[in-house]
Amino acid sequence: MKFYVRTYGCQMNVADSNEMSRHLKAEGLVETQDPDEASVMLVNTCTVRQHAEDRAFSEIGRLKRWKAKRAGRKVVVTGCAAERTKEYLEDRFPFVDLVVGAKSIEDFAQVAHRLLDRRETDEELDYAIPAVDDKVAAFVTIMRGCNYSCTYCIVPYVRGREIYHSVEQILGEVRDRVREGAREITLLGQTVNSYRHGQHRFADLLERVSAVDGVDRVRFISPHPYYMTDRVIETMAAVPQVCESLHLPVQSGSNTMLKAMARNYTREQYVAQIEKMRRAMPGMTLSTDIIVGFPGETEEDFDQTLSLIEELQFDWGFIFKYSTREGTPAAKLDSFPQELIEERHQRCLELVDRIALEKRSKLVGTLQDVLVEENNFGRTRTNYKVHVNGDGAPGQEVRVSIANAHRATLEAAL
Ligand code: 5AD
Ligand code: SF4
């Protein structure tokens, strides 16, 4: 019996999908890339912005026909939107067999077992294969949930309070992934650097994971500026496996907005941290998330965001249009007309893209060490994606010269 997984949302969700796939494989199912072949369809949803949720819901709507095409097919809806709208989902899409919210991902093993116990499909199990995830760059979830309460954000409601995996569990998962072929490990959590377990803090984990045999590269997402302590910065600089690249969401360049968002740092503190990091790791890349059009954002506030982008010269960034999430504190504030949000989004995107292109252009002609992942793609330690023209097998690190940087994916010279 085969299953197909469709994932919306963040890397956390991708990691959850991988985890759920491992459980389904442990039950003897086989993953397919073709929905027509599948008997179980798993849709892992996101609710961070309305747009993400809408996309997942229209996909679920289309699955009614998919399900009717073959007897015994099952539709499973999981993740953040499932957590937020469980009853609504069950009412609107009565053909869905099972809804599993983001808070229940850790119980998915039992859920999978129950789902398949009640199996009435037209197929026998193909064959049992071990749960294998043969990715060169693997994710390992170290914590779930979020104790922050950024006023725009739905995540704490759908994922709950922070829980941390033990160091032993994390190292065990890292070793499993390495055995399956991983060379690069990305540690994952909503505020990944707030990790604590017993005496262990995030910096300890970076050291321990880097020391696992076979781990060549270590990354992490998404850190919160508040927990970017000197010790974390020093550890990043000192441990060779930790890559020189950081995604540190800033959200806004205006102190008024940062306060209204309850981000717990000022623009000046963020800038000082980046300066410290760049001194410790020259050549590191820096990327960020920005929200435009948060309620009350004046033209001056918005200009502050643009000036921060100019000042810090982010290597790339993700710019989000503010989206009202029901139940969050910001949902009570008056939001802007969509046209204004669109216009600011456009201006912000143009600036970020211009700087990103300038940065990439400087890489042309340089030599870069690329860890090959699959399909001729790999990444530099600084996290640029590179098309490598068949140099090197997955899992190998190759040194290539960069020929072209017009698009986000760099091209290696032939
Ligand atoms: N509207 C727009 N963007 C949001 N993000 C989180 N919540 C919202 C929202 N309500 C963005 C933040 C976060 C990223 C994952 O999504 O920038 O860092
Ligand atoms: Fe990830 Fe947040 Fe979307 Fe959930 S709601 S999938 S945590 S981005």
Side-chain angles (χ1 to χ4, degrees):
M1 185 156 70
K2 295 189 173 148
F3 70 98
Y4 181 91
V5 185
R6 173 148 292 161
T7 309
Y8 295 87
C10 61
Q11 306 284 20
M12 207 63 208
N13 246 24
V14 174
D16 286 350
S17 288
N18 291 343
E19 192 171 323
M20 291 188 285
S21 298
R22 279 195 289 275
H23 291 310
L24 291 175
K25 288 175 187 170
E27 293 290 330
L29 269 71
V30 179
E31 187 164 7
T32 170
Q33 302 305 322
D34 179 3
D36 279 344
E37 279 186 3
S39 302
V40 174
M41 177 72 76
L42 197 147
V43 185
N44 194 9
T45 60
C46 170
T47 185
V48 73
R49 287 167 294 275
Q50 190 60 44
H51 182 63
E53 194 172 288
D54 293 346
R55 277 175 52 223
F57 284 4
S58 55
E59 164 72 13
I60 296 165
R62 282 194 293 274
L63 289 177
K64 188 172 179 187
R65 283 193 54 206
W66 173 85
K67 186 170 170 167
K69 275 198 197 148
R70 202 159 79 203
R73 276 183 161 170
K74 292 204 188 292
V75 176
V76 183
V77 179
T78 63
C80 295
E83 182 74 47
R84 195 179 85 78
T85 66
K86 198 167 196 299
E87 275 104 54
Y88 167 80
L89 265 173
E90 284 164 354
D91 284 353
R92 178 167 161 197
F93 307 110
F95 58 87
V96 168
D97 296 275
L98 192 64
V99 179
V100 185
K103 285 180 190 160
S104 316
I105 299 288
E106 303 250 316
D107 309 324
F108 193 78
Q110 290 99 24
V111 172
H113 190 68
R114 280 206 309 277
L115 173 80
L116 299 162
D117 251 10
R118 284 190 266 108
R119 181 173 66 234
E120 337 142 348
T121 58
D122 56 344
E123 288 173 72
E124 283 307 304
L125 294 184
D126 285 347
Y127 43 86
I129 57 159
V132 166
D133 203 0
D134 58 352
K135 295 193 176 61
V136 171
F139 297 116
V140 172
T141 300
I142 66 165
M143 61 166 306
R144 291 182 179 280
C146 178
N147 287 355
Y148 261 78
S149 34
C150 301
T151 53
Y152 51 80
C153 190
I154 191 82
V155 172
Y157 304 88
V158 290
R159 289 207 176 246
R161 308 278 300 166
E162 292 178 7
I163 55 160
Y164 312 100
H165 291 171
S166 69
V167 174
E168 290 67 37
Q169 180 182 346
I170 294 165
L171 293 177
E173 280 184 41
V174 169
R175 285 189 207 104
D176 285 348
R177 296 293 89 77
V178 168
R179 212 171 303 121
E180 294 160 3
R183 292 288 164 267
E184 175 178 308
I185 299 290
T186 301
L187 302 177
L188 280 184
Q190 270 340 308
T191 52
V192 73
N193 51 342
S194 74
Y195 177 86
R196 51 167 62 225
H197 196 271
Q199 299 299 311
H200 305 287
R201 296 293 177 270
F202 184 65
D204 302 310
L205 201 58
L206 282 180
E207 284 169 356
R208 298 285 297 273
V209 169
S210 297
V212 171
D213 245 6
V215 172
D216 297 336
R217 294 181 175 191
V218 175
R219 305 181 191 278
F220 53 91
I221 42 177
S222 278
H224 191 289
Y226 185 78
Y227 294 101
M228 218 57 217
T229 59
D230 285 355
R231 187 155 171 243
V232 171
I233 297 173
E234 283 156 19
T235 309
M236 286 180 72
V239 177
Q241 285 82 359
V242 179
C243 293
E244 299 75 29
S245 175
L246 186 74
H247 181 73
L248 194 62
V250 67
Q251 313 300 1
S252 172
S254 149
N255 281 335
T256 318
M257 287 299 104
L258 290 173
K259 196 156 189 194
M261 292 172 170
R263 287 292 290 172
N264 216 3
Y265 55 83
T266 62
R267 173 191 176 117
E268 292 72 26
Q269 285 167 334
Y270 184 91
V271 170
Q273 256 178 356
I274 299 303
E275 284 170 353
K276 208 184 281 175
M277 257 176 293
R278 283 181 166 158
R279 272 197 303 275
M281 273 171 291
M284 68 171 260
T285 49
L286 174 71
S287 55
T288 200
D289 290 345
I290 285 170
I291 299 177
V292 298
F294 184 84
E297 182 187 69
T298 62
E299 198 54 35
E300 290 73 46
D301 291 319
F302 179 61
D303 278 345
Q304 291 279 304
T305 295
L306 298 181
S307 82
L308 183 74
I309 297 169
E310 285 279 9
E311 181 178 347
L312 287 181
Q313 297 278 303
F314 293 101
D315 295 86
W316 60 89
F318 303 97
I319 317 300
F320 300 107
K321 300 173 208 163
Y322 172 72
S323 168
T324 307
R325 308 314 290 133
E326 213 182 296
T328 60
K332 296 197 195 78
L333 308 171
D334 288 338
S335 54
F336 285 115
Q338 199 55 31
E339 304 82 73
L340 182 124
I341 298 181
E342 297 283 347
E343 190 247 343
R344 286 187 183 165
H345 182 247
Q346 203 48 42
R347 280 163 65 198
C348 199
L349 211 54
E350 274 165 23
L351 178 59
V352 167
D353 285 352
R354 174 173 63 70
I355 295 171
L357 179 60
E358 284 166 14
K359 295 265 189 158
R360 289 201 304 278
S361 303
K362 289 194 185 130
L363 293 175
V364 173
T366 64
L367 291 176
Q368 299 287 333
D369 291 330
V370 173
L371 178 63
V372 180
E373 291 176 28
E374 55 185 10
N375 302 333
N376 293 340
F377 280 99
R379 272 177 303 145
T380 63
R381 287 179 60 94
T382 49
N383 217 4
Y384 279 107
K385 214 172 161 193
V386 184
H387 185 230
V388 291
N389 302 312
D391 296 333
Q396 262 183 340
E397 197 172 78
V398 291
R399 183 159 286 188
V400 299
S401 159
I402 304 298
N404 185 323
H406 291 316
R407 275 170 296 165
T409 301
L410 309 175
E411 295 279 333
L414 276 173

